[in-house]
């Protein structure tokens, strides 16, 4: 109620009444009351508000808002033309969408079948199944203890040779004439199969090569064979 | 025929129903456009655009809500767009001069012209509320529905719009002065609505 209404010291009731008239809650005639005539401030405010209300009514009445002649006849063809255009553009959008969907489907199908026919032979299981298949027991290579030992030995020998060569390299630069004797790598041994599991399986010829020649040595050997259980001979008497 | 039935016939492609709908609402839309745009030719073009958009989005109309505020919302939005476009273009003529007054009516007083000029200077949302309330004679609830704003917001905007109009009138020296005691006679206002 600040700027529009109380420029003068009008009574609050009068200001509320003017606001109610402006909001069309009361007719304009409600402003003409006894207090409005008696109170000078309220009388001025009521007069001013009445003038403004009258002007607002005149403002609404003075504008020429009469429709042009045959306005609907002009509007209807425009609406129909717009509907035809809209329908055509909608059909175009649907065709474009259908073409895009078809292209996407064809692309997906091509990618799928290309991958399927280029990576697997006909009749064989798919690649993923082959890679995940568990190998059979017959395909598993046997693990030989001797082969493992030989591999360890060769690795250790290689490491020793390399370390020795690196250690001697500065010394060779100081003594250019002292060419070290080339280290000949040992001939690799072919891994032997673990044909024996216990000493009982050792051949007779190999055992005979181990037999001692002296009597004390023979006794000691016999004692050893008896202790380990390979000899059926009676315990010698000392 | 109810608005709902009319819309259903329009959606089925009945040209007679389309004409009926246009004729039912064209006066409202055109009057609102003239009052907001203050330019008769622009108002005619805007009204035509409003009906084109009404029929383009008629299938979006919620049948549980009244049709008139929905169409007026489109009209207000179109006028707002029109004013935005107009503000970006140079105006060779004064818009107020292009609005012919009713030929049979008396020439508007200086105060009425001052109010029209002051309304022209209001910001868009205040002007819409002012026009819808004081010139279109709509209620707060109807304006709130048209502008899709709470009633309290509409009341606030209208109050500020009135304040600004009165302030403009005061600055122009157009605020009516109380007559002297000798010829004090309170005028009897005549409401056109």
């Amino acid at each position: 109620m600040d700027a529009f209404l109380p420029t003068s010291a009008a009574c609050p009731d009068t200001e509320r009444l003017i606001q109610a008239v402006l909001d069309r809650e009361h007719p304009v005639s409600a402003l003409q009351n006894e207090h409005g005539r008696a109170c000078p401030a309220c009388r001025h405010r009521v007069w001013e508000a009445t003038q403004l209300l009258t002007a607002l009514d005149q403002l609404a009445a003075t504008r020429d808002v009469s429709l042009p002649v045959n306005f609907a006849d002009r509007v209807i063809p425009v609406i129909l033309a717009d509907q035809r255009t809209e329908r055509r553009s909608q059909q175009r959008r649907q065709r474009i969408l259908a073409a895009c969907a078809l292209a996407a489907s064809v692309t997906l199908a091509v990618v799928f079948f290309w991958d399927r026919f280029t990576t697997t032979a006909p009749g064989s299981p798919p690649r993923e199944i082959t890679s995940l298949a568990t190998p059979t027991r017959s395909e598993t290579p046997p693990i030989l203890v001797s082969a493992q030992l030989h591999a360890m030995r060769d690795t250790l020998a290689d490491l020793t040779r390399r370390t020795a060569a690196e250690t001697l390299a500065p010394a060779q630069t100081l003594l250019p004439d002292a060419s070290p004797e080339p280290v000949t790598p040992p001939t690799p041994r072919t891994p032997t199969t673990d044909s024996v599991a216990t000493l009982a399986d050792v051949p007779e010829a190999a055992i005979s090569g181990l037999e001692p020649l002296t009597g004390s040595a023979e006794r000691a050997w016999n004692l050893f064979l008896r202790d380990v259980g390979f000899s059926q001979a009676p315990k010698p008497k000392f | 025929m109810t608005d709902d039935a009319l819309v259903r016939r329009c959606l089925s492609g009945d040209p007679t129903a389309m004409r009926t709908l246009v004729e039912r609402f064209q006066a409202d839309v055109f009057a609102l456009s003239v009052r907001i745009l203050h330019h008769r030719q622009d108002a005619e073009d805007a009204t035509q655009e409003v009906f084109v958009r009404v029929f383009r989005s008629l299938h979006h109309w919620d049948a549980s809500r009244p049709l008139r505020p929905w169409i007026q919302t489109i009209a207000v939005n179109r006028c707002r767009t029109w004013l935005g476009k107009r503000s970006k273009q140079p105006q060779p003529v004064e818009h107020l001069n292009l609005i012919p007054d009713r030929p049979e009516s008396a020439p508007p007083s200086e105060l009425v012209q001052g109010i029209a000029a002051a309304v022209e200077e209001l910001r868009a949302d205040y002007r819409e509320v002012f026009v819808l309330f004081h010139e279109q004679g709509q209620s707060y609830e109807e304006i709130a529905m048209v502008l899709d704003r709470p009633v309290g917001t509409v009341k606030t905007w209208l109050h500020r719009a009135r304040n600004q109009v009165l302030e403009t009138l005061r600055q122009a020296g157009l605020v009516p002065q109380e007559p002297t005691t000798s010829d004090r006679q309170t005028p009897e206002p005549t409401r056109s609505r």
Side-chain angles (χ1 to χ4, degrees), chain A residues 32-43:
Chain A
Q32 310 302 323
N33 55 17
E34 198 62 37
H35 176 77
R37 293 190 195 92
C39 175
C42 292
R43 188 179 62 232

Side-chain angles (χ1 to χ4, degrees), chain A residues 1-7 19 21-26 28-29 32 37 40 43-48 50-68 71-76 78-80 82-83 86, chain B residues 18-19 22-23 26-27 30-31 34-35 38 40 44 47-48 51-52 55-56 99-102 109 111-112 115-116 130 133-135 137-140 159 162-163 166 169-170 175-179 184-187 189-193:
Chain A
M1 310 290 169
D2 41 10
F4 189 65
L5 301 171
T7 53
Q19 186 64 42
V21 172
L22 280 170
D23 289 344
R24 296 200 290 263
E25 293 171 5
H26 295 297
V28 185
S29 58
Q32 310 302 323
R37 293 190 195 92
R43 188 179 62 232
H44 175 73
R45 283 295 299 129
V46 166
W47 194 89
E48 186 182 80
T50 309
Q51 293 291 315
L52 288 171
L53 283 166
T54 307
L56 283 174
D57 286 340
Q58 287 177 1
L59 176 69
T62 51
R63 293 211 197 277
D64 182 13
V65 291
S66 58
L67 272 168
F71 183 74
D73 293 337
R74 282 167 37 198
V75 171
I76 294 292
V78 176
I79 293 169
L80 292 174
D82 179 75
Q83 285 185 339
E86 185 71 16
Chain B
M18 292 171 66
R19 174 176 288 276
V22 170
E23 288 174 348
Q26 62 182 359
F30 183 72
V34 165
R35 282 167 176 154
H38 286 210
R40 193 173 172 83
E44 285 183 25
T47 304
Q48 184 171 297
F51 280 108
V52 166
F55 281 100
R56 201 182 283 175
I99 308 170
D101 295 330
R102 290 182 187 279
S109 67
L111 179 60
V112 174
I115 291 175
F130 192 92
F133 189 87
H134 284 298
E135 297 190 43
Q138 295 193 349
S139 66
Y140 283 127
H159 183 67
R162 285 171 183 158
N163 286 342
L166 190 66
L169 293 177
R170 283 200 181 111
V175 175
Q177 297 298 317
E178 190 180 11
R184 182 180 299 160
Q185 187 71 31
T186 304
T190 54
R191 286 231 153 168
S192 60
R193 292 182 299 275

Side-chain angles (χ1 to χ4, degrees), chain B residues 157-182:
Chain B
W157 285 358
L158 183 61
H159 183 67
R160 290 175 185 170
R162 285 171 183 158
N163 286 342
Q164 287 189 18
V165 167
L166 190 66
E167 187 60 32
T168 306
L169 293 177
R170 283 200 181 111
Q171 287 175 359
L174 293 173
V175 175
Q177 297 298 317
E178 190 180 11
T180 57
T181 312
S182 58

Side-chain angles (χ1 to χ4, degrees), chain A residues 207-227:
Chain A
I207 295 174
S208 64
L210 296 173
E211 286 181 354
L213 298 176
T214 60
S216 58
E218 183 182 2
R219 278 200 300 276
W221 182 248
N222 288 334
L223 286 172
F224 171 72
L225 290 178
R226 188 201 60 196
D227 291 340

Side-chain angles (χ1 to χ4, degrees), chain B residues 2-43:
Chain B
T2 62
D3 289 346
D4 192 14
L6 185 62
V7 168
R8 269 190 270 113
R9 283 182 58 189
C10 288
L11 289 175
S12 66
D14 184 359
T16 311
M18 292 171 66
R19 174 176 288 276
T20 306
L21 190 142
V22 170
E23 288 174 348
R24 185 177 292 185
F25 296 106
Q26 62 182 359
D28 271 355
V29 172
F30 183 72
L32 182 60
S33 302
V34 165
R35 282 167 176 154
I36 292 179
L37 296 176
H38 286 210
H39 193 286
R40 193 173 172 83
Q41 188 59 46
D42 283 357

